[in-house]
Amino acid sequence: MAEISESLARFAAAMPKAELHVHLEGSIQPATLLQLARRRRVELPADDEDGLRRWFRFRDFEHFVHIYLTCCRCLRDPEDFQLVLEEFLVGQQRQNVLYSEVHFTIGTHLANGVNGGEVAEALAETLDDAWERHGVIARLIPDIVRDVGPARADQTLEWALAGRGRGVVALGLSGFESSPDEPFREHFRTARAAGLHCVAHAGEHEGPESIRSALEICDAERIGHGIRAVDDPELVADLARREIPLEICPTSNVRLGAVAEPRLHPFDDLRRAGAVVTVN
């Protein structure tokens, strides 16, 4: 069994891959977070890498959000964002992930006082050099956060539209799925009319109704997570018929409590039912 596992690991590592669901802020490594926190004088609950790894063991989605927002407070100047993106690209190269679409919650950073134009320029510069420096390609999906209101969504849409042709490929939707999607209908309509794609987190912590809402209100072309579709066979059949991919993140689903343990993950059930599934 060990030989099979090692062989499979080598095969997976060598395979050219694409990643469709990853968050830039969530990719920060412990050593880099310590560096950024010291630079920006942000107090963390630990002052070494092992302590941060223990902190990163999420108890639930609320705990995850708290950690996520703390990481965001450590990103202030353009060079901070460049450092994180550059480190992410190196990691993707190491894993032979040749293409990535990366969620980026610009609205949170704008609320923290960053200069959106300077950040956009810094990220675009790093993305422009990604293939030459690392042999990988990455694109950005600025995402609206459901539970912070339309004003922040307006800023996110504006930033996304300004970034067309400079690395931005879609408008996304994230945050607590229990918050309504309806306030953002026009944001997605505007983005789509301007040539951006539309994607949405749904069906991870809430049921099939959250997926139906993302499809109807956001006209989502892909669903982030979407694992709760398994609770509604008609929805799964509709997703399969429309060939709408589910961006499934098995490790994240377990660590955030959406699935109790790996053997209970519905990935294979969805695949066997004909849904388009991806691993992220």
Side-chain angles (χ1 to χ4, degrees):
M1 179 64 75
E3 291 181 0
I4 295 174
S5 297
E6 291 174 9
S7 175
L8 181 60
R10 287 195 299 271
F11 174 77
M15 180 191 301
K17 295 175 286 292
E19 182 155 31
L20 302 180
H21 192 120
V22 61
H23 293 255
L24 183 61
E25 299 92 339
S27 75
I28 303 175
Q29 299 300 306
T32 304
L33 183 59
L34 286 170
Q35 176 185 342
L36 290 168
R38 290 165 185 153
R39 181 187 297 175
R40 301 304 164 207
R41 299 185 179 181
V42 174
E43 186 175 348
L44 299 175
D47 58 5
D48 59 47
E49 293 182 45
D50 286 341
L52 287 184
R53 289 191 182 95
R54 289 191 293 272
W55 183 50
F56 284 164
R57 292 172 187 162
F58 314 124
R59 296 188 299 269
D60 49 36
F61 189 66
E62 288 78 6
H63 184 218
F64 161 77
V65 170
H66 168 71
I67 295 173
Y68 191 87
L69 292 175
T70 302
C71 293
C72 288
R73 288 172 50 220
C74 298
L75 298 167
R76 299 306 299 257
D77 291 342
E79 58 264 30
D80 300 341
F81 294 90
Q82 282 188 307
L83 173 64
V84 173
L85 181 55
E86 181 73 14
E87 183 177 74
F88 169 77
L89 295 170
V90 170
Q92 297 301 80
Q93 177 193 45
R94 186 169 58 249
Q95 299 175 83
N96 204 24
V97 180
L98 302 184
Y99 179 81
S100 304
E101 292 188 355
V102 186
H103 283 270
F104 177 57
T105 313
I106 182 61
T108 299
H109 303 296
L110 294 174
N112 288 341
V114 306
N115 184 306
E118 291 179 358
V119 170
E121 188 62 32
L123 293 177
E125 180 182 308
T126 305
L127 292 173
D128 286 345
D129 295 337
W131 181 257
E132 183 176 344
R133 289 169 62 88
H134 306 296
V136 300
I137 297 171
R139 295 292 181 261
L140 296 176
I141 303 176
D143 54 351
I144 290 170
V145 182
R146 287 178 173 95
D147 41 289
V148 298
R152 195 83 59 80
D154 293 345
Q155 294 177 315
T156 299
L157 174 62
E158 181 180 355
W159 196 87
L161 294 175
R164 288 171 299 171
R166 297 300 312 276
V168 174
V169 294
L171 182 67
L173 185 67
S174 64
F176 288 93
E177 295 171 20
S178 56
S179 296
D181 298 342
E182 181 59 43
F184 314 110
R185 184 187 293 269
E186 289 303 318
H187 295 84
F188 282 91
R189 184 173 293 168
T190 299
R192 191 164 51 253
L196 290 175
H197 295 283
C198 299
V199 301
H201 290 61
E204 182 186 23
H205 297 284
E206 297 293 325
E209 67 279 359
S210 72
I211 300 172
R212 293 187 184 280
S213 174
L215 294 173
E216 193 274 317
I217 292 174
C218 307
D219 198 16
E221 299 165 60
R222 293 200 311 255
I223 297 294
H225 300 292
I227 57 173
R228 292 289 301 278
V230 77
D231 298 338
D232 185 340
E234 289 187 9
L235 175 59
V236 175
D238 187 42
L239 291 167
R241 178 183 60 79
R242 297 168 63 180
E243 298 185 327
I244 294 176
L246 303 179
E247 308 158 0
I248 294 180
C249 309
T251 303
S252 175
N253 297 152
V254 172
R255 291 192 175 184
L256 290 178
V259 177
E261 53 182 298
R263 69 181 182 85
L264 298 177
H265 199 285
F267 179 92
D268 198 48
D269 292 334
L270 290 163
R271 181 185 67 84
R272 289 177 183 276
V276 179
V277 290
T278 65
V279 180
N280 305 275

